[in-house]
Amino acid sequence: MARVGSRSVWFARSLGRLLAAGLVAGLAWAGGLVWFANSIPRPPAGESADATRPTDAIVVLTGGSGRLGMGLDLLTAGRARKLFVSGVYEGLDVQELLRKSRQSPSDVECCITLGYSADSTIGNAYETADWLREQGFRSMRLVTANYHMKRSLLEFRMVIPDVEVVPHPVASPNVHLDDWWKWPGTASLLVTEYNKYLLTLLRYELEMLLES
């Protein structure tokens, strides 16, 4: 009976420790989520100090509204010599892309390159890295959604640490960052993006540890 009693005590203590650890981890995760949501840029990118700094290239990551239009506006304004659009679906060419964005093909068509191989943020980074090396570029302006920027910068830092990356976040009208927890669609999006960021950060830290 004593042995059974000691096992019960051990099990209860182990369960208590496990629950406590789970509670601490849950609170840490929730606190990190709040930090992540609050760190997403709210102001328009045009108000930032880096908004007018010229770079060798502008890189747009497809997948959200407003990104391509912003990239084309920056190219037209002379913020860079060339525009690279990463993650374009197969079959879309420059003229069709410009028509979709209501731009005149003759204005900037010569300065745009489309990348078709990327289907993820990691793929965007590698596809862009190959193009930058071909062009001999050492700086770029990264155009993507504001909630996607933190993870994107981390992916690009791992792939092209020698290239200067200037962030140019784009705000989506469908993502409500103020009181985001009241909007189920936005809350779900931020939770998913936060979890992806944590996995990317873990991979980044592991790579830094292996290289040291």
Side-chain angles (χ1 to χ4, degrees), residues 117-194:
S117 64
D119 59 2
S120 64
T121 307
I122 300 174
N124 291 141
Y126 279 102
E127 181 178 62
T128 301
D130 291 340
W131 179 77
L132 289 171
R133 293 189 188 101
E134 290 175 2
Q135 301 295 319
F137 290 160
R138 300 303 300 273
S139 65
M140 55 166 277
R141 181 176 297 276
L142 180 61
V143 179
T144 189
N146 52 358
Y147 62 84
H148 184 236
M149 183 60 74
K150 192 178 293 291
R151 179 162 62 96
S152 299
L153 288 173
L154 200 53
E155 293 286 7
F156 275 73
R157 187 182 306 162
M158 284 189 281
V159 176
I160 45 173
D162 55 334
V163 173
E164 179 189 12
V165 180
V166 177
H168 201 104
V170 177
S172 170
N174 298 320
V175 178
H176 308 281
L177 294 177
D178 294 330
D179 298 333
W180 56 268
W181 56 90
K182 297 180 181 178
W183 301 86
T186 297
S188 176
L189 174 68
L190 294 187
V191 167
T192 300
E193 186 61 33
Y194 173 59

Side-chain angles (χ1 to χ4, degrees), residues 19-33 194:
L19 291 175
L23 178 61
V24 170
L27 290 173
W29 179 89
L33 175 61
Y194 173 59

Side-chain angles (χ1 to χ4, degrees), residues 6-19:
S6 63
R7 286 180 179 176
S8 298
V9 171
W10 175 84
F11 178 78
R13 288 177 177 174
S14 299
L15 181 61
R17 294 192 188 100
L18 185 62
L19 291 175

Side-chain angles (χ1 to χ4, degrees), residues 10-120:
W10 175 84
F11 178 78
R13 288 177 177 174
S14 299
L15 181 61
R17 294 192 188 100
L18 185 62
L19 291 175
L23 178 61
V24 170
L27 290 173
W29 179 89
L33 175 61
V34 172
W35 163 81
F36 178 81
N38 290 335
S39 69
I40 296 173
R42 265 70 167 181
E47 296 181 2
S48 68
D50 288 332
T52 58
R53 188 202 306 182
T55 56
D56 292 332
I58 299 162
V59 176
V60 174
L61 307 187
T62 59
S65 62
R67 303 183 193 183
L68 180 57
M70 177 64 72
L72 290 169
D73 287 344
L74 290 167
L75 181 64
T76 303
R79 295 290 182 265
R81 289 178 280 168
K82 290 191 177 182
L83 168 65
F84 183 71
V85 186
S86 177
V88 176
Y89 63 84
E90 199 67 40
L92 181 67
D93 62 14
V94 173
Q95 289 196 355
E96 182 183 353
L97 181 145
L98 290 170
R99 283 195 296 270
K100 287 177 180 294
S101 302
R102 299 178 182 177
Q103 297 282 336
S104 173
S106 61
D107 292 340
V108 291
E109 181 181 358
C110 61
C111 305
I112 300 175
T113 302
L114 306 183
Y116 297 95
S117 64
D119 59 2
S120 64

